[in-house]
Amino acid sequence: RLGGSLRLADKVKQIHTVGDRATEVETESGWRERFDAVASNGDIVHTYKDLLSESPRGRSMGKSLAKKRFSPSLFVVHFGLEGTWPGIPHHTILFGPRYQGLLKDIYEHGVLPQDFSIYLHHPTVTDPGMAPPGKSTFYALVPVAHMGKLPVDWDEVGPILAKRILDEVGRRLIPDIHDRIVTQFHYAPTDFASDLQAHLGSAFSLEPILTQSAWFRG
């Protein structure tokens, strides 16, 4: 409606500057165009350290930001099931046995806990068109420490954690869940890092502590 254009599947390679102003955007395909102003909603470290690497401010901010504390990451299991569940809401939180201890394991200790709290997303209860007739789609999300605190091999750990999460959803809501799975994949901290250039695979960027909030954020 406003006359804009979307460029898809063409990652931004560089934001060019003149002095302290962003003036051009260049993508990996070689496309390059001038603009009066540039806004980036990409990862903050990636934006300064990589996209603004030609700028002295970009390089210095990139180094400064990389030293700050970052929020946890997420592990997300996406799955489609045979059947429908009108009794499972669109949004559900399945709390685990711990709360404060679980947060400390994620934020401070950097371990993969044996227990977890799960956010369960069930969009087909609201819009059945999100899946083929007679089927349902879900994802189950658990917070985990970012890659700087939890440097595990997610290719190895991922399938194990995915099964544990599905086991818990089955125990509490869908007893025969494994028999009903039509399709399944998971998204780990390494995917946040590779797909979204998220620093340390963090899902929420800078940790919102007082000294990194509001005016202090920069």
Side-chain angles (χ1 to χ4, degrees):
R1 189 175 73 244
L2 298 176
S5 300
L6 293 176
R7 293 188 63 84
L8 304 177
D10 191 10
K11 291 182 180 179
V12 174
K13 176 181 177 182
Q14 192 75 42
I15 299 173
H16 297 283
T17 60
V18 174
D20 61 353
R21 291 184 60 84
T23 57
E24 291 181 90
V25 173
E26 180 182 357
T27 66
E28 289 185 346
S29 70
W31 177 85
R32 184 166 173 166
E33 189 161 326
R34 295 183 64 86
F35 295 95
D36 296 328
V38 177
S40 171
N41 69 343
D43 178 78
I44 189 170
V45 176
H46 172 64
T47 297
Y48 280 104
K49 176 175 157 297
D50 302 322
L51 302 185
L52 289 165
S53 61
E54 294 180 349
S55 159
R57 175 169 167 76
R59 292 191 294 271
S60 64
M61 280 294 293
K63 290 179 181 178
S64 174
L65 287 164
K67 297 175 184 177
K68 293 184 179 291
R69 287 171 52 177
F70 281 78
S71 295
S73 189
L74 300 171
F75 185 86
V76 190
V77 186
H78 297 261
F79 55 99
L81 301 180
E82 289 278 3
T84 58
W85 282 267
I88 299 179
H90 193 132
H91 306 284
T92 303
I93 297 179
L94 302 173
F95 287 103
R98 297 184 302 155
Y99 185 76
Q100 184 175 1
L102 181 62
L103 292 180
K104 282 189 175 182
D105 279 349
I106 295 168
Y107 278 85
E108 298 178 19
H109 303 150
V111 299
L112 192 64
Q114 289 300 307
D115 61 306
F116 35 68
S117 291
I118 302 172
Y119 164 66
L120 185 65
H121 184 61
H122 178 206
T124 40
V125 76
T126 301
D127 180 1
M130 294 286 289
K135 296 179 175 61
S136 299
T137 186
F138 294 83
Y139 73 68
L141 173 157
V142 300
V144 295
H146 62 60
M147 293 161 57
K149 287 182 180 287
L150 183 62
V152 299
D153 182 352
W154 281 104
D155 288 337
E156 179 182 343
V157 173
I160 298 171
L161 182 56
K163 183 179 183 304
R164 287 176 50 209
I165 292 168
L166 291 172
D167 286 347
E168 183 66 8
V169 175
R171 185 181 73 83
R172 299 174 69 167
L173 291 173
I174 307 170
D176 56 349
I177 187 170
H178 291 288
D179 295 332
R180 290 180 174 272
I181 291 176
V182 177
T183 185
Q184 171 193 335
F185 70 93
H186 59 261
Y187 204 80
T190 44
D191 297 303
F192 282 92
S194 62
D195 293 351
L196 305 175
Q197 288 77 52
H199 184 62
L200 300 175
S202 168
F204 305 103
S205 192
L206 292 173
E207 187 178 338
I209 58 176
L210 176 61
T211 54
Q212 294 184 172
S213 299
W215 185 85
F216 299 105
R217 194 168 177 88

